[in-house]
Amino acid sequence: MLTDRAVVTEAYTVIPRGVLRDIVTSNFPGWSGTRAWILAKPVQGFATTFAQYLVEIAPGGGSPHPEPETGVQSVLFLLAGRLNLTIAGTEHHLEPGGYAYLPAGTDWSLTNPGQQPASFSWIRKPYEPAEGITPPAPFVTREQDITPTPMPDTDGTWATTRFVDPDDLAHDMHVNIVTFQPGAVIPFAETHVMEHGLYVLQGKAVYRLNDDWVEVHEGDFLWLRAFCPQACYAGGPGPFRYLLYKDVNRQIRLT
Amino acid sequence: MLTDRAVVTEAYTVIPRGVLRDIVTSNFPGWSGTRAWILAKPVQGFATTFAQYLVEIAPGGGSPHPEPETGVQSVLFLLAGRLNLTIAGTEHHLEPGGYAYLPAGTDWSLTNPGQQPASFSWIRKPYEPAEGITPPAPFVTREQDITPTPMPDTDGTWATTRFVDPDDLAHDMHVNIVTFQPGAVIPFAETHVMEHGLYVLQGKAVYRLNDDWVEVHEGDFLWLRAFCPQACYAGGPGPFRYLLYKDVNRQIRLT
Amino acid sequence: MLTDRAVVTEAYTVIPRGVLRDIVTSNFPGWSGTRAWILAKPVQGFATTFAQYLVEIAPGGGSPHPEPETGVQSVLFLLAGRLNLTIAGTEHHLEPGGYAYLPAGTDWSLTNPGQQPASFSWIRKPYEPAEGITPPAPFVTREQDITPTPMPDTDGTWATTRFVDPDDLAHDMHVNIVTFQPGAVIPFAETHVMEHGLYVLQGKAVYRLNDDWVEVHEGDFLWLRAFCPQACYAGGPGPFRYLLYKDVNRQIRLT
Amino acid sequence: MLTDRAVVTEAYTVIPRGVLRDIVTSNFPGWSGTRAWILAKPVQGFATTFAQYLVEIAPGGGSPHPEPETGVQSVLFLLAGRLNLTIAGTEHHLEPGGYAYLPAGTDWSLTNPGQQPASFSWIRKPYEPAEGITPPAPFVTREQDITPTPMPDTDGTWATTRFVDPDDLAHDMHVNIVTFQPGAVIPFAETHVMEHGLYVLQGKAVYRLNDDWVEVHEGDFLWLRAFCPQACYAGGPGPFRYLLYKDVNRQIRLT
Amino acid sequence: MLTDRAVVTEAYTVIPRGVLRDIVTSNFPGWSGTRAWILAKPVQGFATTFAQYLVEIAPGGGSPHPEPETGVQSVLFLLAGRLNLTIAGTEHHLEPGGYAYLPAGTDWSLTNPGQQPASFSWIRKPYEPAEGITPPAPFVTREQDITPTPMPDTDGTWATTRFVDPDDLAHDMHVNIVTFQPGAVIPFAETHVMEHGLYVLQGKAVYRLNDDWVEVHEGDFLWLRAFCPQACYAGGPGPFRYLLYKDVNRQIRLT
Amino acid sequence: MLTDRAVVTEAYTVIPRGVLRDIVTSNFPGWSGTRAWILAKPVQGFATTFAQYLVEIAPGGGSPHPEPETGVQSVLFLLAGRLNLTIAGTEHHLEPGGYAYLPAGTDWSLTNPGQQPASFSWIRKPYEPAEGITPPAPFVTREQDITPTPMPDTDGTWATTRFVDPDDLAHDMHVNIVTFQPGAVIPFAETHVMEHGLYVLQGKAVYRLNDDWVEVHEGDFLWLRAFCPQACYAGGPGPFRYLLYKDVNRQIRLT
Amino acid sequence: MLTDRAVVTEAYTVIPRGVLRDIVTSNFPGWSGTRAWILAKPVQGFATTFAQYLVEIAPGGGSPHPEPETGVQSVLFLLAGRLNLTIAGTEHHLEPGGYAYLPAGTDWSLTNPGQQPASFSWIRKPYEPAEGITPPAPFVTREQDITPTPMPDTDGTWATTRFVDPDDLAHDMHVNIVTFQPGAVIPFAETHVMEHGLYVLQGKAVYRLNDDWVEVHEGDFLWLRAFCPQACYAGGPGPFRYLLYKDVNRQIRLT
Amino acid sequence: MLTDRAVVTEAYTVIPRGVLRDIVTSNFPGWSGTRAWILAKPVQGFATTFAQYLVEIAPGGGSPHPEPETGVQSVLFLLAGRLNLTIAGTEHHLEPGGYAYLPAGTDWSLTNPGQQPASFSWIRKPYEPAEGITPPAPFVTREQDITPTPMPDTDGTWATTRFVDPDDLAHDMHVNIVTFQPGAVIPFAETHVMEHGLYVLQGKAVYRLNDDWVEVHEGDFLWLRAFCPQACYAGGPGPFRYLLYKDVNRQIRLT
């Protein structure tokens, strides 16, 4: 069956796991042993603040200079394999669950030191300075080292693994992990200015997007423009988890 | 029920009251004790002339320099609580119904002097100069001090509280209050170049937007791109009232 | 808001709790102190095998002869209050959870002996005899006395309270209670010849009906014609439970 | 413009005033000087309990034996002109607002004694006897002589002119007049087993039918099958009124 | 391209010329050298009063007893070739444009005496007697012998070739030819109780059916249930003409 | 994913293979060791001429009297396993590809003599006698013994295995096997009075049904009402084959 | 009825005559006695090459400097009243049918010398220079002075009044008048890179826009983005005529 | 029939062969004897990377300087006739199947030396340099000289004629020929960042575009924005082939 859930609409795009196959990968200049599925890029009238990829590096592959634009910051989240990430001359060893924040203008490089392909999410966003705010420093951490914050009034069935302090206005994007227990529900159709790239890490759910419902599961990608309503019912048996991009903490620029 | 009326379409967006909850607020740099629901911002191919927020300032909160862009004018309309607004060194005390026009380049600041949260609509628009026209001066007024202008041939069931003279071409936006008595009807599908942000202040209605009908009530926000057809039937028992943004009085720029 | 989930489609009908109000009740001849919401009746081309009501009897009300047609069997399931049910001269006292099967041709009567309104589901179906099969006898039981049967391979998250033996071909209808734990899912779109009346007893879910999704909760009624695809995601925090009618165990009649 | 609101759907039919023109009238055997617009007739899977017409009799026209079927009862409601109605030998003189109930098996005839065309609504329904119930007698009355009954909790903005006692189970149909003041609203989507023929007598409204909205005004006819959800917002300036058929007071027949 | 205009909807069916090919013909018992495209037959909930065929008889073919049901009347309209029609022992010779009305219970037979296939429209309807009305007699005529009746106020751009007197209530169906000049328009969406079979004889148009528009041309068949709205814009360069069935002149039967 | 291709529409129904699971089977009185998926039964306004099942008989199971109605004929087509079929006292041994025609009124019985479940298609239709036509006799044959008839002008890419002579008007139904080679296409949207039950035996295709496209593959069932347009593109690599029911060779009955 | 044909879609916009009322006009700086209905302006992702207005100047009103942008050319077409147009110091007197082409950078002014309002179409487009091409000079002409060019193979039923030579590449826009006789048809869905503003001058038609049909008549405005398919059937009795903007004669700019 | 498959949607555009007629051609400055159908150009929010034309040059026609923008590269693919292409002073003689790659900044010209019109596809794209990558050189080749590369696991039923090495990152676009044998299928809905212009060279198929299906054949053009899902079933009898543009090998630019 070629008919699947892939769809482009005016408010969201669904890229299901089943369409992320060999024949639709992209190559980037300056990389070796690497292929990428580009999941999101700025599209006028849709979402314009970020790009997101699923990247796979073969053993020994990588790039000495992954980021060609000086004004662009990145988040990397390792899904499988191992990665050596060098930031300003310091090497970090990432394993699955590893997470790196790379500010705009940082000098960084990446190699796969392992025997297996390394697979990671890469999110890129131009950093938007704000008056009186010092830009953030780079950091490397692990999902496993952070206690998820439960959403109030949900009895712990909905929690967020926050990689940056939500009150720290230095950051203009959040890339977090959201976890729902079976049967947990976003109780209203969240409708806000923040754009989303949503990569499902585990489990399944039926997701409300604008005025449609879509079933999603591990490996699917959802892409939402500003103001696209969204909510979900999480199915079991295990938790439903996803990596979530949103842009935050900045005034709207009009001129 | 998470299924609500929130929807994004090619010609309009509906953000119902029920989705304006804690977890979808935005923070702005340079503010204290403040959170905002961003209801509208420029989106290419949709509406591009303004931004609109519902802002809530806790007692003592506010900003010494709310507007980061010199070319941007604002209207504030106070919904609840109290606000001290200082314009070019003069302080104004706003209570519910209070309305302020702040021209581009004005120096202004805002604090909540009260014991309760202050809640207001904030509309921002880049000012578009026109040859031979002097830009408007700031002013502060109150809805309660202005007699609504009845729409001709409606027997007073449809009226507009105008905060600026419609013949004054210095202004390139109008932010007015429109009031319908029960059963009053916009008798044709208004279709014009003006964009709208429409925040419902009171009552309920069934609203025609493009080729759809949507029920709306107090606290809902409607956002219309240029040329989106619109009309309504106002329900009772009380009046149906909304704060309405539109851009006016300028030639179309083509180069 | 009058806009709700009530809808008639070619394959299913949704009658949400919110529309079951005073002004749309029916009266039946031969009853006292009683009003009913008729939820289903035979409609050609849609569902044709049964009728279903939500009935409310005031204290002291009831009927000495509720069933006017001799070929029609009934199931009663008590939701609230108390009922005295007399079958062929023997009186039974029903409390919430009480369940009665009344074969076609049975002499029965009903009164509310309590101080509160009694509310029950009443399902009526013409009995279809089959060659070599003895029709079933009446019985009265309670939901509380029956252990639910888990659905295989669901780890107990989906179970059915069966009031008759599924291998007993004397019955041509089943009225059971189906229970899902939070996050449980009907894993494929059940599509079969059996018609359904589905009255939600507890909890909430998002339900797949034909090619639509509908959110449902306690007190809603779903009505499905033969072959209408259906499935669900059960939301939490408690279980999602419904009373389910289906017609079974008979060859299709063609002449 | 030939594009109008006329539409047939699975749950309702709209026949707007503008399509009731000369070229689509019907003739009935046994009538003189008469033409009719047939607005409703039994359609399997849609509405099956009644027929409804808009009838126009020229001066001197009429029928000595209008009803060809002995089991069929009628309601006549005079919209314009004058009618002489003879029931079992007694002549009644109807003027606009005149209303007659004619039980099944009654001998009646009709003539237009005036100088202008007489225009009336004619509703026909097979009478369904019920055990222990005496069928109703004929009567003639006038809308003007009956005080409308306000709907509770609507402050008089919604009222019904009842031509028969709602507790009288002898009647198996009600043909009433419903009146809404400007801005009055049916506050939920009524969804019930009763079929409707709805002829608009005055005013305008936007009407919810199943999951659609339709604007209606004087002279339009709406036809609803059982369980079609419905509600409205009444527009002004005057009241919105309609003549409403529904079938009532009978158990569902299954065999 | 297999995608064409063929479609079944709840209110109308379109059978375009291009789908009337060899592989979808029907055979009727008691005929020789004959094949038929069945275009309409009674369908519950859709149209129920008639059947219509496009029939092709090879030279020498035909039937000694075409009508198996005694209560069924027919109209034949010859499109191409020649037919010998024997009615109660009298033979008639039909050429293109030939038209025959055959009352229920008539003894008739049909043969193709020519060298070419004979092609005709056959419409069958059960005759519905009415009290005091004598059923019609058979007749044979030709389209060419009848002057079309112009529709009032259309300046002759819309006319009907009437084969029976519209005031003759003996007939319970009309099968006429309707002719539009280029640019002529049915000015409103005709919405009436009459069912239609509409076979396009010449030209083209864009046809409004319920809330859709369909382009049609010579050889297409449209099938409309009762109350399906309809209208058209006739295209040029020649006239747009069709053979139109409708049921008329009878009271609605309810019991 | 519970979202699949199962759907009920006004003109066709799709029952994909994936929904034919244990929990939706039916039991028939008078059978042992047998369960059935009922795929089609008469539905007013949809398809009304036949019933079709996928039946599975365990080793040793079967029925001494499968057909309860004397006016009903059957076709059996064996998909897997073995069946002993006794017709009027003569036993036939069926293997996969085995096909039996059982006229109305025939005495027949069925058992599974094998060690594996036997799976077969069972199609039942009331036989419609025609004047002057002798009803057909029973027969048993095998698909393997019949040479498919190529469709003209398709270069053998489309062929039909015919089990009865298409010119034999004794039969009022055809149950044939249709075979397409990869890339073969039904070149126009077949639109005819014949109803269809279509069970896919092998391969895949994208199928046009009314104005939709549906992908289908082995084990899917399609059910089409009269006049539902249909066509397909057959995918490879092997042939696309299905068992096809249609009703044929009878005049339309109107009274 | 407020429900009309006004609609915004992704490929076209319809602004019917009935919505061009007093309350939706615009004022332009530097004009006196003038109001305008802005019908089109550049919208990203929709149409971006031009602006179009319906302008009404009261007696004595006008503008000494209508065009604020030096790179913008205009076409004026007078619908009613009189206009004095001064181009580079030379005054022209326009009457209905008067047409003026005003190149970018031209000095022009406009007054209404009459006693009645003057109403005209104003189309503005940035002029796009091309290498080796001399920009066009201004001119004033009248529709009445130009013989329409018939479209080949339409027997004169479709003709274009061309105001500039189609082979003159100096012009990068055409504003012509297109005329159809009753029943004339655009025989295929024109799909091209040219954008359209289409103002109906006379008559009526049913217009195909993308995959919709819309009825249009005198005074309606249609606005089409590049590649929007379009065609029509012209209704009678008189001709169907419109003023048509399109952009032509330039290479696509990519950098 | 003017109703065809031409359509503009938010994710794709279809321009069928039948709409590429005389009256919708474009002229380009600096060309003689040439007309073009512009099939694609950058549209914000849709596809923005390329322009594509079908160009027809009469004998003797052509252009000494076809490309007005220095940063734009081109591919030419000759469909019919002959072309003389001069690149940096060297003349190449193209026949059908001829293919030329012309880098940005190349000096080239084109003439038709034959007696018949020359017809070719012209694709233009701004070249995007990448750090460390040398831009490609021009080349001229022929489809006939290149062996198609089979897609793995398709048994040769799907193959691509590659004109540049897919591992050569100097190229930022690929214009290839894709060939499917009858019944071959793209087995999943390809969803990727690459935009497409797809011109059908031979055969037919049913094509999946976003969530629609469209039949296509020789001469049709499909235009897909980034992320538009696509797949197909190829029909026979011959192969289905198309010329396919996509943009490749570059990082997403964000600032």
Side-chain angles (χ1 to χ4, degrees), chain A residues 1-4 17-24, chain H residues 158 185-191 229-232:
Chain A
M1 290 294 120
L2 64 87
T3 315
D4 195 356
R17 177 179 62 193
V19 309
L20 302 178
R21 303 193 192 176
D22 290 32
I23 61 175
V24 296
Chain H
W158 177 8
V185 172
I186 298 180
F188 66 101
E190 291 190 33
T191 308
Q230 60 164 321
C232 76

Side-chain angles (χ1 to χ4, degrees), chain A residues 41-58:
Chain A
K41 67 155 189 175
V43 174
Q44 280 302 317
F46 186 70
T48 59
T49 63
F50 73 114
Q52 182 163 352
Y53 320 132
L54 180 62
V55 186
E56 193 180 275
I57 307 181

Side-chain angles (χ1 to χ4, degrees), chain H residues 15-211:
Chain H
I15 304 180
R17 178 181 59 194
V19 310
L20 301 178
R21 303 193 193 175
D22 290 31
I23 61 176
V24 296
T25 54
S26 292
N27 295 325
F28 295 139
W31 289 74
S32 62
T34 302
R35 61 184 190 172
W37 290 271
I38 298 176
L39 302 173
K41 68 154 190 177
V43 174
Q44 281 301 318
F46 186 70
T48 58
T49 64
F50 74 114
Q52 184 163 351
Y53 321 132
L54 180 61
V55 186
E56 193 181 275
I57 307 181
S63 174
H65 187 51
E67 178 53 69
E69 296 180 80
T70 56
V72 174
Q73 61 193 321
S74 286
V75 162
L76 310 181
F77 180 74
L78 189 55
L79 300 164
R82 297 168 51 201
L83 280 182
N84 282 0
L85 168 67
T86 302
I87 306 175
T90 303
E91 188 173 277
H92 302 264
H93 303 275
L94 277 68
E95 299 199 336
Y99 180 110
Y101 172 73
L102 302 157
T106 304
D107 177 29
W108 58 282
S109 64
L110 206 60
T111 59
N112 176 358
Q115 305 302 315
Q116 304 297 330
S119 175
F120 63 99
S121 275
W122 181 11
I123 293 161
R124 299 170 64 224
K125 179 184 186 296
Y127 183 70
E128 183 178 349
E131 189 186 329
I133 305 260
T134 305
F139 65 84
V140 176
T141 182
R142 298 197 316 157
E143 177 199 358
Q144 297 86 333
D145 296 342
I146 298 173
T147 303
T149 307
M151 184 70 64
D153 304 320
T154 64
D155 207 13
T157 60
W158 177 8
T160 303
T161 304
R162 299 191 190 281
F163 293 96
V164 301
D165 177 357
D167 293 329
D168 178 2
L169 274 65
H171 285 279
D172 67 352
M173 75 165 163
H174 289 164
V175 178
N176 292 328
I177 292 172
V178 183
T179 301
F180 294 91
Q181 298 307 316
V185 172
I186 298 180
F188 66 101
E190 291 190 33
T191 308
H192 52 61
V193 75
M194 287 81 91
E195 297 180 351
H196 280 325
L198 188 165
Y199 183 79
V200 181
L201 298 170
Q202 183 184 355
K204 72 180 176 200
V206 60
Y207 219 92
R208 175 83 177 190
L209 291 166
N210 206 6
D211 48 1

Side-chain angles (χ1 to χ4, degrees), chain E residues 1-3 5 215-217 220, chain H residues 1-3 5 215-217 220:
Chain E
M1 292 291 120
L2 64 86
T3 314
R5 295 158 297 136
E215 278 191 285
V216 297
H217 61 177
D220 292 340
Chain H
M1 290 294 119
L2 64 87
T3 316
R5 296 156 297 134
E215 278 191 284
V216 297
H217 61 176
D220 292 341

Side-chain angles (χ1 to χ4, degrees), chain B residues 90-104:
Chain B
T90 303
E91 189 173 276
H92 302 263
H93 304 274
L94 277 68
E95 299 198 338
Y99 180 109
Y101 172 73
L102 302 156

Side-chain angles (χ1 to χ4, degrees), chain G residues 106-119:
Chain G
T106 304
D107 177 28
W108 57 283
S109 63
L110 205 59
T111 58
N112 176 357
Q115 305 302 318
Q116 302 298 329
S119 175

